[in-house]
Amino acid sequence: MFDFDGLLMDTESTQLLSWQYEWRQHGLELDVTKFFADHGGDVSDLRYAALAAAVGPAYDRMSSHARRVAYRDSLNAVLEFRPGIREWLDSADGFRLAVASSSPAAWVLPFLEQSGYRSRFDVVACGDEVPAHKPDPAVYQLALRRLGAVPAQAIAFEDTPHGVAAAKAAGLRCVAIPNPHADPARFAAADTVLVSAKDMTLAEVVSLW
């Protein structure tokens, strides 16, 4: 069971780059130390509010949003899986695969189609289908129900501490591959921490249990 943003594809970095780009259009620098939320889901309103406060009354959110999203989409159009992920999916015959993401389906599904690997996933569970985002376990519980599986039969792969917390709250074993913006020291709750999916084959990961 795979998280999406930051785990399968590094959309975390393209989001950050798009916000840095937009702040610079106003001659400002984004404070990246406070950028990433400690939970899943959309925090765009808070980010726009912070930019509006920094710019002042002249700020036009509509044009700002259009410019930032256009830049983000240009980066995402060429985005590929993080290192080692393609090899894991190619070697996953015999396993049922799921995506469990706090992002909405309208965000996740086009990326999976873009990757050419949509058909590899038996189940896609998204944040707009559950009442709460990670670290709440709801999206993992939904994915398990759709798989017809119990937690002992599944492994979660996550890139953030709040994602690990969601997986563990759902009763899952969890392998963490921290994204480039996550503090590796905060993954003590994970059962295994890898620097990259290239560190081990999928079969080697599964054989840990």
Side-chain angles (χ1 to χ4, degrees):
M1 304 177 73
F2 295 89
D3 176 50
F4 178 73
D5 293 291
L7 188 284
L8 291 182
M9 288 184 170
D10 190 10
T11 53
E12 303 285 15
S13 288
T14 56
Q15 287 277 30
L16 174 58
L17 288 169
S18 75
W19 282 98
Q20 288 178 308
Y21 169 83
E22 184 54 31
W23 275 67
R24 288 167 183 163
Q25 303 313 299
H26 303 278
L28 301 168
E29 282 295 325
L30 173 67
D31 180 1
V32 298
T33 63
K34 300 177 181 178
F35 182 76
F36 289 102
D38 231 13
H39 55 81
D42 187 5
V43 292
S44 293
D45 283 344
L46 295 176
R47 290 173 177 167
Y48 281 118
L51 179 54
V55 173
Y59 180 69
D60 180 345
R61 173 166 170 166
M62 185 175 297
S63 62
S64 176
H65 172 73
R67 182 170 52 232
R68 184 191 70 80
V69 168
Y71 182 69
R72 180 202 67 194
D73 289 351
S74 72
L75 299 176
N76 286 341
V78 295
L79 204 58
E80 297 184 354
F81 286 132
R82 287 185 68 192
I85 294 296
R86 189 177 301 275
E87 290 78 6
W88 277 12
L89 298 180
D90 285 341
S91 66
D93 290 342
F95 294 106
R96 300 190 68 211
L97 305 182
V99 170
S101 172
S102 282
S103 294
W107 172 260
V108 174
L109 292 176
F111 280 110
L112 295 180
E113 295 291 348
Q114 175 180 310
S115 75
Y117 278 72
R118 170 65 184 90
S119 62
R120 294 294 287 173
F121 294 95
D122 299 277
V123 163
V124 177
C126 294
D128 54 343
E129 301 180 282
V130 293
H133 293 136
K134 299 173 185 177
D136 190 282
V139 75
Y140 275 116
Q141 293 165 340
L142 175 61
L144 284 167
R145 288 196 298 274
R146 288 179 174 172
L147 284 170
V150 298
Q153 297 172 308
I155 301 171
F157 297 91
E158 277 287 350
D159 69 297
T160 61
H162 60 266
V164 173
K168 298 306 290 183
L172 295 162
R173 295 162 292 184
C174 185
V175 176
I177 308 175
N179 72 57
H181 312 287
D183 180 0
R186 297 186 61 205
F187 287 82
D191 296 284
T192 300
V193 180
L194 305 178
V195 173
S196 164
K198 295 176 72 69
D199 290 356
M200 300 177 72
T201 66
L202 184 60
E204 288 170 337
V205 171
V206 172
S207 71
L208 294 174
W209 293 280

